[in-house]
Amino acid sequence: MHDPFPAPASWRIALPHTAAAVPVARALVRTALAELEHPADSDTAELLTAELVANAVEHTSGGSPIELVVELLPGGCQVEVHDPDPAPPADLTRPDREPPDPWQEHGRGLLLIRALSASCGHRPTHSGKAVWFRLPAVPAQRRRA
């Protein structure tokens, strides 16, 4: 008998606290979404995952690994990045008071996450915090062939 509400598939991986974690995280998200032919937008999921991982590497101390959690849900996906710093990310869930400086290389990651995700946020964990975003499933007629 086919279960109409299958349990969500999830992946969890510890990543090094270095820039090398970014392409590994992108590859895991791409593989997870492709393997199950999941309807969430893979390009957006990869981009936002890269932003979360890069922020964790750049803005937290390098003593312990970063953890990536990808959960595939019937209505989309959720990606979390766990890091050891309990301080919440600046302005993740509310708009910046000032737009990022167009001449600066940094400062747009959280803006991208807010703009492109269905929802985003952060929560404390026993070892720091988790920063997350959710993407909805893309309707079949809008998916790439």
Side-chain angles (χ1 to χ4, degrees), residues 26-65:
R26 288 181 76 118
L28 176 70
V29 168
R30 178 176 48 251
T31 300
L33 294 175
E35 218 171 87
L36 294 178
E37 296 180 13
H38 194 270
D41 179 40
S42 180
D43 292 338
T44 303
E46 283 185 59
L47 173 66
L48 301 186
T49 299
E51 291 297 335
L52 285 185
V53 172
N55 278 351
V57 168
E58 185 176 341
H59 298 293
T60 65
S61 63
S64 48

Side-chain angles (χ1 to χ4, degrees), residues 24 37-39 49 69 99-100 108 114 121 142:
V24 173
E37 296 180 13
H38 194 270
T49 299
V69 179
R108 291 173 188 80
R114 281 196 319 266
R142 292 187 44 213

